[in-house]
Amino acid sequence: MSSGDPLPVSYAEMASEARAIAPGLHFLSTPIGAARDITLRALDLLAGADVLAAEDTRSLRHLMEIHGIALGGRPLVAYHEHNEGQALPRLMRALEEGKSVAYASEAGTPLVSDPGFGLARAVIAAGLPITAAPGPSAAICALTVSGLPSDRFLFAGFIPSASGARKSFLENLSSVQATLILYESPKRVRETFRDLVEYFGSDRQAAICRELTKRFEEVSRGDLGALAADLEDREVKGEIVLVIDRAPERQATAETVEVALDKAMETMSVKDAAAAVAEAYGLPRRQVYQMALERGRG
Ligand code: SAM
């Protein structure tokens, strides 16, 4: 997150006293670049919660400093994928004592390719209150500027780096009837585009959304072939989201659906195979499930 452009007056000047925060867990979203993208409700939570928790405590302190929010004597607990065993019981104890806990990721929205899922599950299982103060997420920001259809989309997180996992990940996504949103490292993006051309074809429209909300924000739009060719000649730096158009609708004849079902049933249960094929061909699940049952019997 850039430190420039905080609010014109600090939060401490605007809010004469911290608002009382209800007991329970409160997730809050933080800027993905521009410090001004923090919401007033997120600042209320940071100023008023009994306990603060963060994926990265240094980034949270920095964000609070920018907005003039003092930690005071309140605990600031690190909670990330490597310390869940210690941090989770500590946060749960505070919540069971009726305290309010505000949790922030290093940037963007918790749980979106970031920690928080285990905490949310534990709080829900314990029947304790949970809320979210929504705000920035690179995935939604990229979808908004991509120029690709936004009526139906699938966020699929980071593309795996190991070659086997990567292959099956891309193969599975290639027939999805929804705009795809992926996070990618700039170090791997060139190789990724070569793979995308292989699995999705060169004609599929896509957008590379780089450094969103930051000074060098850039969106490159085009078909996969042209974007891949362009990447062969240049270095890409910064943070990246890829947005890819949905698969072209396939014409479903009885024969093609049967072939797809037979293939899917080699590796999946009848139910899962029917669901996957129905999705790929835009057919009713019940109809494809009946076909799958008949083929399974035959
Ligand atoms: N929870 C975050 C969210 O809601 O966007 C995502 C965290 S994930 C660990 C970090 C990835 O998000 C980066 O590798 C990049 O793919 C994407 N990202 C985060 N900030 C971005 C930005 N300003 N521009 C483009 N991509 C960004």
Side-chain angles (χ1 to χ4, degrees), residues 32 107-109 112-114 137-138 158 183 211-212 214 239-241:
I32 56 167
T109 297
V112 179
S113 290
D114 260 344
S137 180
F158 283 97
Y183 287 163
E211 294 288 89
L212 293 165
K214 301 187 202 175
E239 296 192 284
I240 292 174
V241 184

Side-chain angles (χ1 to χ4, degrees), residues 10 42 62 78 109 114 120 132 148 197 207 233:
S10 76
H62 181 52
T109 297
D114 260 344
L148 293 167
V197 168
D233 305 328

Side-chain angles (χ1 to χ4, degrees), residues 4 6 41 65 88 99 139 172-173 193 214 239 249 265 276 278:
R41 188 156 160 238
E65 267 162 33
L88 185 63
K99 298 210 163 95
N172 283 335
L173 287 185
F193 267 80
K214 301 187 202 175
E239 296 192 284
E249 254 183 59
M265 286 194 295

Side-chain angles (χ1 to χ4, degrees), residues 143-161:
L143 177 68
T144 311
V145 296
S146 67
L148 293 167
S150 56
D151 56 327
R152 197 164 188 231
F153 58 88
L154 173 72
F155 171 68
F158 283 97
I159 303 174
S161 51

Side-chain angles (χ1 to χ4, degrees), residues 46-275:
L46 292 175
D50 301 318
V51 176
L52 301 180
E55 178 191 12
D56 183 306
T57 53
R58 268 184 39 185
S59 311
L60 188 64
R61 271 179 182 276
H62 181 52
L63 181 69
M64 289 168 70
E65 267 162 33
I66 291 173
H67 294 290
I69 297 174
L71 183 59
R74 297 176 296 161
L76 172 53
V77 180
Y79 173 90
H80 45 72
E81 56 184 311
H82 305 296
N83 78 343
E84 195 172 42
Q86 302 92 59
L88 185 63
R90 186 168 170 200
L91 295 175
M92 290 304 291
R93 262 196 310 280
L95 290 162
E96 276 152 14
E97 285 165 9
K99 298 210 163 95
S100 54
V101 175
Y103 178 82
S105 286
E106 186 184 351
T109 297
L111 283 86
V112 179
S113 290
D114 260 344
F117 178 63
L119 181 57
R121 295 275 291 189
V123 170
I124 293 164
L128 293 163
I130 176 168
T131 72
S137 180
I140 298 298
C141 187
L143 177 68
T144 311
V145 296
S146 67
L148 293 167
S150 56
D151 56 327
R152 197 164 188 231
F153 58 88
L154 173 72
F155 171 68
F158 283 97
I159 303 174
S161 51
S163 73
R166 194 175 169 80
K167 181 172 178 287
S168 56
F169 179 89
L170 292 176
E171 254 171 12
N172 283 335
L173 287 185
S174 66
S175 57
V176 169
Q177 294 288 307
T179 297
L180 303 173
I181 306 174
L182 298 160
Y183 287 163
E184 185 52 295
S185 141
K187 290 191 201 127
R188 273 203 306 261
V189 69
R190 183 176 297 151
E191 185 193 341
T192 292
F193 267 80
R194 288 185 197 138
D195 291 344
L196 287 171
V197 168
E198 185 181 339
Y199 291 104
F200 291 53
S202 56
D203 295 339
R204 196 89 74 91
Q205 292 298 305
I208 305 174
C209 306
R210 203 174 66 79
E211 294 288 89
L212 293 165
T213 78
K214 301 187 202 175
R215 184 154 168 230
F216 297 108
E217 174 163 352
E218 176 191 59
V219 181
S220 312
R221 304 179 186 84
D223 62 43
L224 287 176
L227 290 170
D230 182 48
L231 285 171
E232 294 295 334
D233 305 328
R234 69 174 177 122
E235 278 306 311
V236 180
K237 291 199 177 124
E239 296 192 284
I240 292 174
V241 184
L242 307 179
V243 188
I244 304 170
D245 202 358
R246 68 196 59 190
E249 254 183 59
R250 297 198 214 166
Q251 290 306 315
T253 63
E255 201 187 338
T256 49
V257 175
E258 282 167 6
V259 171
L261 270 176
D262 289 346
K263 185 153 186 283
M265 286 194 295
E266 284 170 16
T267 54
M268 294 182 208
S269 69
V270 171
K271 193 165 165 241
D272 290 348

Side-chain angles (χ1 to χ4, degrees), residues 252 257 261 274 278 282-294:
V257 175
L261 270 176
L283 292 170
R285 275 187 187 207
R286 188 194 292 255
Q287 179 193 332
V288 181
Y289 185 57
Q290 276 308 323
M291 286 173 77
L293 283 178
E294 278 156 28

